[in-house]
Amino acid sequence: MNVADSMRVASSLEKLGYHTTEKPAEADVIILNTCVVRQSAEDKAIGRLSSLKPLKTKNPELVINLMGCMVGVKDNPKLKTRFPFVDVFSPPSDPVPLIHHLLEKEGRIHELDETLARFAYMDGDLVIPDTDQGNLISSFVPVVLGCSHACTYCIIPYRRGIEKSRPPHEILGEAQALIHQGVKEITLLGQIVDRYGADQPDYPTLAGILRRLHSIDGLERIRFLTSHPNYMTDELLDVVAEYPKVMPHIEVPIQAGNDQVLENMRRGYTNQQYRDLIEKIKNRIPGVSIATDIIVGFPGETEQQFQDTVDLLADLKLDVAHLARYSPREGTVSARRMEDDVPDEEKWRRFRLLEELQEGIATGIHATYQNQSVPVLFEEKSKKGRWRGRTETNKLVFAESEQDLHGQLLNVTIDWTGPWSMLGHLIP
Ligand code: SAH
């Protein structure tokens, strides 16, 4: 979501006459787009921000813009006191405070209304920033902003505001604009993407949006993330199964395997319901790949309860598990009401145990690709000079070629597989 938001800000600034530089010391404007989903992300953001202070001291004309979840949608006076060298604070997805500041600084404030009308965040007229123009093969399109689901551990609803689906014409317009600029693959984004339209009675469902996108010429692949188990309808699974451009890859987090922990997280489903859903997905979409998210060491999680997560992962054999150690976030229900009582070393132990388990599972799944021929959409050349692309199931594939494979969808025979990627050669 932040990648998508950053692209929009860069695009807005280019329309104002700015262009990108690689070196912070040369910049007139520096935008730090932040994530605070875990303490580690917040620490990183603070570290980066602090490293910008000397630049501001040296060049008082420099504009520093702090953006995203560290700022949040509500006024945040504490942050302003703590970082007085920041000129502009912007909520997630919102380039307007920065545009306002820059126009004012340049004595162009009279252009504000017209400027905002020309490139509101929601325009279907997104121009890919210069640095990515012509290079970008895969791009994100946010379809649901914010989140109204109150998972007890999660700070996102507090910082990104309530759930809001974007109008279908904006989504389609934006997808069309990206395709005209060379994009071949679009990933629809939402904190709970499968709730698309649920907040707007007149909007289609996510399945409806996927069907409409499917008919855009030049668009080769469509993905969506992240889904919540409770909103994965049969209609959605049918579209993934039946529409060839909709990729057979589902990101649907479980978060924990134990029913009591799930209840404490307020996830709204049980271990068995999740298992049933995975079985249904696998039956309905042959060859599907499935990714999950897991938090270890949630307040009160016992060894026995953790074992339910281990068993679940071992049984379901999902393609990917994004693992996280529980991190109490200010203002969330779990941080206010539940003691962070699983020691850090124990969180690490559980984390490593699942990591190792999942590495074995992924290795096994990838081994089934050996000597198979699969379509790969190539995105770019890696630093080692190999072309990098993805299978329909979102597996990373590298292949050697003298040709320019950028943006090409080609059949590849897989020669080697590992836990995180595969090597293959082009079929002549
Ligand atoms: N809304 C999306 C993405 C949320 S952030 C979703 O529900 O999947 C991505 C992941 O970060 C979450 O799925 C969760 O596993 C993890 N996460 C969120 N809050 C966390 C916290 N307080 N501590 C540790 N991990 C957290």
Side-chain angles (χ1 to χ4, degrees):
M1 198 65 97
N2 271 356
V3 171
D5 288 346
S6 294
M7 182 162 104
R8 279 161 180 75
V9 183
S11 175
S12 302
L13 288 203
E14 284 189 1
K15 289 181 194 172
L16 277 184
Y18 289 81
H19 63 91
T20 317
T21 170
E22 294 286 317
K23 299 191 185 113
E26 287 173 0
D28 299 308
V29 183
I30 298 179
I31 305 150
L32 192 68
N33 197 3
T34 55
C35 168
V36 295
V37 74
R38 286 180 285 275
Q39 189 62 47
S40 52
E42 184 159 356
D43 293 345
K44 195 164 148 191
I46 291 170
R48 277 290 190 89
L49 186 57
S50 307
S51 78
L52 297 178
K53 196 179 170 186
L55 292 177
K56 178 74 177 180
T57 315
K58 221 161 131 196
N59 171 18
E61 286 303 300
L62 171 67
V63 174
I64 295 184
N65 175 208
L66 186 69
M67 183 182 181
C69 285
M70 204 167 141
V71 177
V73 284
K74 289 196 207 101
D75 195 40
N76 198 333
K78 263 201 248 163
L79 211 56
K80 291 181 183 160
T81 321
R82 187 167 172 198
F83 301 108
F85 59 94
V86 171
D87 301 277
V88 191
F89 295 85
S90 323
S93 310
D94 189 2
V96 175
L98 180 61
I99 292 167
H100 191 283
H101 182 92
L102 293 175
L103 288 179
E104 199 159 54
K105 191 173 191 294
E106 293 172 22
R108 293 164 64 190
I109 196 68
H110 55 279
E111 294 175 30
L112 183 68
D113 287 348
E114 180 223 349
T115 306
L116 294 185
R118 262 197 303 137
F119 48 88
Y121 171 68
M122 296 302 178
D123 68 8
D125 182 29
L126 182 68
V127 180
I128 297 173
D130 249 354
T131 39
D132 282 334
Q133 191 60 248
N135 295 324
L136 202 64
I137 297 305
S138 181
S139 189
F140 297 114
V141 175
V143 298
V144 189
L145 305 178
C147 183
S148 299
H149 213 278
C151 300
T152 53
Y153 51 81
C154 191
I155 197 171
I156 296 175
Y158 300 89
R159 299 302 175 91
R160 282 190 172 266
I162 57 169
E163 175 182 85
K164 191 164 184 288
S165 298
R166 291 177 70 187
H169 71 270
E170 284 182 9
I171 296 167
L172 294 165
E174 195 167 297
Q176 205 104 48
L178 289 167
I179 303 308
H180 282 142
Q181 295 167 82
V183 167
K184 303 260 157 77
E185 174 179 89
I186 280 182
T187 302
L188 305 180
L189 298 180
Q191 298 301 335
I192 302 187
V193 72
D194 45 346
R195 270 186 60 82
Y196 177 81
D199 59 317
Q200 300 286 340
D202 305 334
Y203 288 6
T205 57
L206 181 63
I209 291 289
L210 291 170
R211 281 192 290 260
R212 290 190 202 181
L213 283 171
H214 200 268
S215 57
I216 298 182
D217 281 339
L219 176 55
E220 310 254 17
R221 288 179 166 188
I222 314 167
R223 301 180 189 276
F224 56 92
L225 59 92
T226 301
S227 296
H228 184 288
N230 291 10
Y231 308 101
M232 295 232 73
T233 58
D234 291 347
E235 186 202 17
L236 181 57
L237 298 185
D238 285 347
V239 169
V240 181
E242 288 162 20
Y243 283 67
K245 291 183 188 176
V246 181
M247 293 297 102
H249 175 71
I250 306 276
E251 302 253 354
V252 62
I254 173 116
Q255 307 297 4
N258 176 267
D259 287 349
Q260 185 59 54
V261 176
L262 284 170
E263 200 178 311
N264 296 345
M265 290 176 160
R266 247 189 253 147
R267 286 292 290 176
Y269 51 81
T270 62
N271 176 307
Q272 191 56 50
Q273 284 168 331
Y274 187 81
R275 286 172 185 261
D276 293 346
L277 175 67
I278 296 302
E279 191 180 314
K280 184 156 99 174
I281 295 172
K282 285 184 173 174
N283 288 335
R284 186 67 189 93
I285 310 164
V288 69
S289 76
I290 301 175
T292 197
D293 294 8
I294 288 170
I295 299 173
V296 298
F298 187 77
E301 187 185 61
T302 63
E303 180 59 34
Q304 195 53 45
Q305 290 172 331
F306 169 66
Q307 193 57 43
D308 290 344
T309 306
V310 179
D311 294 344
L312 180 113
L313 266 197
D315 292 347
L316 294 184
K317 298 200 172 27
L318 305 175
D319 295 74
V320 176
H322 305 289
L323 307 174
R325 287 161 292 125
Y326 172 71
S327 167
R329 307 310 294 134
E330 191 191 336
T332 59
V333 174
S334 67
R336 281 185 279 128
R337 303 209 195 124
M338 305 174 201
E339 197 195 334
D340 180 20
D341 56 359
V342 180
D344 212 34
E345 319 82 80
E346 179 57 19
K347 284 179 187 165
W348 269 115
R349 192 190 65 84
R350 294 178 191 183
F351 181 95
R352 293 212 182 90
L353 203 144
L354 292 184
E355 196 176 42
E356 209 168 298
L357 171 64
Q358 186 57 35
E359 185 172 335
I361 292 168
T363 305
I365 293 172
H366 291 179
T368 65
Y369 284 71
Q370 183 71 33
N371 301 329
Q372 303 285 322
S373 162
V374 287
V376 172
L377 177 60
F378 285 100
E379 286 178 42
E380 61 178 11
K381 215 170 188 172
S382 72
K383 288 191 190 92
K384 286 185 186 163
R386 292 176 181 141
W387 286 94
R388 190 176 67 82
R390 291 195 179 261
T391 66
E392 296 194 332
T393 49
N394 212 35
K395 311 289 184 196
L396 200 53
V397 175
F398 294 94
E400 311 251 355
S401 176
E402 297 304 310
Q403 303 161 46
D404 182 3
L405 304 188
H406 184 245
Q408 299 222 46
L409 186 56
L410 298 166
N411 279 320
V412 173
T413 300
I414 303 298
D415 304 314
W416 174 88
T417 67
W420 321 119
S421 66
M422 307 176 183
L423 293 178
H425 65 270
L426 295 183
I427 301 166

